[in-house]
Amino acid sequence: MLSEAGLVSHAVACFFFAALALGAARRAGLADRPGRLLVAASLGTAIWAFVFVLAATRGGTAIALLSPFETLRTALWGAFVVSLIARSWALQEWPGSSFTVAASLGLIVLLQFALDLAGLARTVPGTGPSTLALIFLFTRLTVAIGGLVLVHNLY
């Protein structure tokens, strides 16, 4: 069971990421791609945090929506980081390793969405995790590590 601190922290995250989305939309506008993706990623994170609180307090369909929203949130932040790195790709004759990492992460996120929507990554209570559930977990870890590699390539 999730503690009250967990619920409150996700509710606070929902509020502040929504505020970040509004602030970024008002301040930077939506003229450039990184600005639009920052707004989308912030809003996606706010929605994910809201769905998390609903899933923890009410259950029901919110539980089924939690994983796809987490995948969407991760994809949006990845797209934001890629939009920042993409400017340097235009200056190079051949895209560097960060392009390969970004393209690979894109394919892995598509696999995550497919597993999410097909419901193949869920485990049945009382049984061990299925092979597809373990693959799904591995893709989550791969995307997290790959995202860190992309952020590292910003500097």
Side-chain angles (χ1 to χ4, degrees), residues 82-145:
V82 166
S83 74
L84 297 176
I85 295 174
R87 293 176 182 173
S88 69
W89 294 340
L91 303 174
Q92 300 172 357
E93 186 174 322
W94 293 97
S97 60
S98 63
F99 177 81
T100 305
V101 171
S104 300
L105 290 179
L107 291 174
I108 292 170
V109 167
L110 287 175
L111 174 63
Q112 284 182 351
F113 271 126
L115 291 172
D116 267 338
L117 296 178
L120 298 174
R122 295 188 189 107
T123 58
V124 177
T127 66
S130 68
T131 302
L132 288 175
L134 292 173
I135 290 171
F136 185 76
L137 178 62
F138 179 73
T139 62
R140 286 263 197 244
L141 292 170
T142 303
V143 169
I145 293 166

Side-chain angles (χ1 to χ4, degrees), residues 33-34 37-38 40-42 44-45 69-86 89 98-99 101-107 109 112-113 142-151 154:
R33 180 172 291 164
L37 286 170
L38 175 61
S42 300
T45 302
F69 272 105
E70 183 174 353
T71 303
L72 178 63
R73 177 205 66 188
T74 303
L76 289 169
W77 282 111
F80 171 67
V81 172
V82 166
S83 74
L84 297 176
I85 295 174
W89 294 340
S98 63
F99 177 81
V101 171
S104 300
L105 290 179
L107 291 174
V109 167
Q112 284 182 351
F113 271 126
T142 303
V143 169
I145 293 166
L148 290 173
V149 170
L150 288 179
V151 169
L154 281 174

